[in-house]
Amino acid sequence: PSEKRQRRLTEPLNQHLDSAATALPERRAEIVDPRYRELTRLSSREQAAMVSALHASFQARHPGREVLLIETHISFVIVAGDFAYKFKKAVNPGFLDFTTLARRRHYCLEELRLNRRLAPALYLDVLAVTGSVDAPVLGGTGASIDCTVKMRAFAQAGLWDRIAARGALGPAHIDVLAG
C-alpha cells in the first residue's frame, strides 16, 4: 500500500496506543524511566547499545556456548542457551511504528498471543527490560526501558531458509504447513 494509505490505516491504532500510554499518569510512572525521553522513545542507537549490553551479559553468563545476536529490519533476537529474546526495534519504517515503549509492549503481547496458538511451547512470556541502556536487566524491578518476547530457543538448522540452503526443503514440508 502507498505510504499515505498505510499512514491512514495505522494512525487510529497509533493514536489509541499514545492515548492509552498517557491516560493514566500513575501507571506511566511504572513503565517510563524518567531518565529517557517521553514515553521511553529510545533512539535506534540507544536500543542497539542496550541489546549489545544484554548480548555481552549473556556471553559472560554462558562461557563456551555460542550466543547469537540476529538483527532484522524490525527486530533484534538474542539466542542464549535454552532461550531466545526478541526485541521490537524502536523504528518507524512507515508500515509499523515501534518508536514508543507502549507500542513495543503492545506488539510484543500481540506476538505472544497470536503465536502461542500455533507454538505454545516456544512462546513463553513478555518481559520488561529494566535498568539502564548500559546495564539492562531482563525481568528486573523498577521502571521499564523496553520489553522483549521470551521464547524457547530451537536449533537454527531447523529454520526453513537453512533447510532450503541444504536442499532439504520439499513438498512434505509445504503440505505440513498448509495442513
Side-chain angles (χ1 to χ4, degrees):
S2 71
E3 183 177 325
K4 186 176 181 179
R5 181 171 184 267
Q6 187 65 38
R7 206 173 314 121
R8 191 178 77 243
L9 293 172
T10 59
E11 194 56 35
L13 175 61
N14 293 340
Q15 289 172 353
H16 169 74
L17 291 171
D18 284 342
S19 65
T22 58
L24 302 170
E26 66 280 0
R27 294 267 309 140
R28 275 187 52 204
E30 295 173 18
I31 63 168
V32 178
D33 188 323
R35 294 171 292 183
Y36 297 97
R37 289 178 292 285
E38 182 69 14
L39 295 177
T40 313
R41 288 186 185 270
L42 288 175
S43 70
S44 295
R45 185 176 303 138
E46 290 168 325
Q47 190 183 43
M50 179 200 72
V51 170
S52 181
L54 279 168
H55 181 242
S57 170
F58 279 117
Q59 286 178 316
R61 286 187 289 189
H62 296 279
R65 291 183 74 181
E66 183 177 33
V67 177
L68 297 175
L69 175 56
I70 302 163
E71 184 174 355
T72 71
H73 61 296
I74 61 169
S75 64
F76 295 103
V77 180
I78 298 174
V79 182
D82 295 332
F83 300 103
Y85 303 89
K86 184 176 181 183
F87 300 85
K88 309 284 184 212
K89 278 188 175 178
V91 295
N92 179 354
F95 61 91
L96 56 78
D97 184 351
F98 293 157
T99 56
T100 67
L101 173 59
R103 290 180 181 153
R104 290 190 304 277
R105 179 168 167 69
H106 169 79
Y107 288 110
C108 282
L109 290 167
E110 282 298 286
E111 179 176 348
L112 181 70
R113 181 183 68 82
L114 293 169
N115 290 330
R116 261 189 177 168
R117 295 178 308 166
L118 298 175
L122 292 181
Y123 287 84
L124 304 175
D125 202 359
V126 172
L127 300 177
V129 180
T130 62
S132 68
V133 167
D134 297 325
V137 177
L138 290 181
T141 59
S144 296
I145 60 171
D146 211 344
C147 56
T148 184
V149 177
K150 181 181 180 182
M151 300 175 284
R152 191 165 320 285
F154 57 87
Q156 298 299 295
L159 293 170
W160 279 34
D161 65 334
R162 312 279 168 84
I163 295 170
R166 292 191 308 268
L169 187 62
H173 291 96
I174 305 302
D175 291 343
V176 168
L177 179 65

